Amino acid sequence: LCTGASLAELKLPAGKVLHVSHFDIENAFYTFQLPPSMRRFFGCPSVWASDLGITALDGVALAAGSRLYPRLRVLPMGFSHALWVCQEVHRRILIKAGMPDTHMVCDREAPPSLDPWAYTVYVDNAIFFGTDMHEVAELSSGGFPPAAILQMGRRA
């Protein structure tokens, strides 16, 4: 994870201009399905089937006055480990797609060069910094494989 401390360690070469861009995984938490074995831990308050207009479930008729007990199938944002899961999956996707981890800004790591560019991952955002305006813009616009692979990246 990148914090203000690791950003403060970055050094812009003399006479260079810093350019920044990023992409965000839209609805990130809802793209991660929970394994079926974990779904029982993420129940929602019960609801009347009739309030939802549901008269049958999985082809079985429901009795009048039936209550439903919905469970989440996706990563709940309020789950204590949700941010870590999202962050780590996003980081691994970028690395697997070819983003060099030597260019990643992380706490307790030597800062990478901003010439031509560096990046960091913060939960569902990939942030690119660098001295090459065109490369920095290209990294977040879908020109680099992660945005295309995810098919969820959107320019911000």
Side-chain angles (χ1 to χ4, degrees):
L1 183 64
C2 173
T3 64
S6 51
L7 290 173
E9 294 295 319
L10 294 171
K11 293 176 178 50
L12 184 64
K16 298 282 187 165
V17 174
L18 179 65
H19 303 278
V20 180
S21 68
H22 88 287
F23 74 80
D24 170 78
I25 301 174
E26 200 167 326
N27 299 313
F29 292 89
Y30 298 108
T31 63
F32 295 103
Q33 278 204 23
L34 287 172
S37 62
M38 287 186 67
R39 293 176 188 167
R40 65 188 174 109
F41 299 111
F42 300 101
C44 299
S46 67
V47 294
W48 295 106
S50 59
D51 287 347
L52 301 177
I54 297 175
T55 57
L57 194 59
D58 294 331
V60 177
L62 296 173
S66 292
R67 302 232 10 117
L68 300 178
Y69 299 87
R71 295 185 298 186
L72 293 175
R73 293 173 49 120
V74 297
L75 187 62
M77 291 175 64
F79 174 46
S80 61
H81 292 85
L83 289 174
W84 180 85
V85 169
C86 188
Q87 162 108 12
E88 189 61 16
V89 169
H90 191 185
R91 185 187 72 80
R92 289 180 187 197
I93 287 171
L94 289 172
I95 290 169
K96 189 170 185 172
M99 287 294 271
D101 58 355
T102 55
H103 286 251
M104 188 182 294
V105 181
C106 295
D107 273 2
R108 295 184 280 289
E109 302 271 336
S113 173
L114 291 172
D115 195 9
W117 57 269
Y119 73 101
T120 194
V121 175
Y122 186 76
V123 188
D124 59 345
N125 295 286
I127 305 145
F128 305 94
F129 328 85
T131 58
D132 186 312
M133 179 175 68
H134 299 291
E135 278 193 52
V136 169
E138 179 77 6
L139 287 165
S140 67
S141 69
F144 183 74
I149 288 169
L150 293 171
Q151 294 181 7
M152 296 177 267
R154 75 175 153 89
R155 248 178 150 162

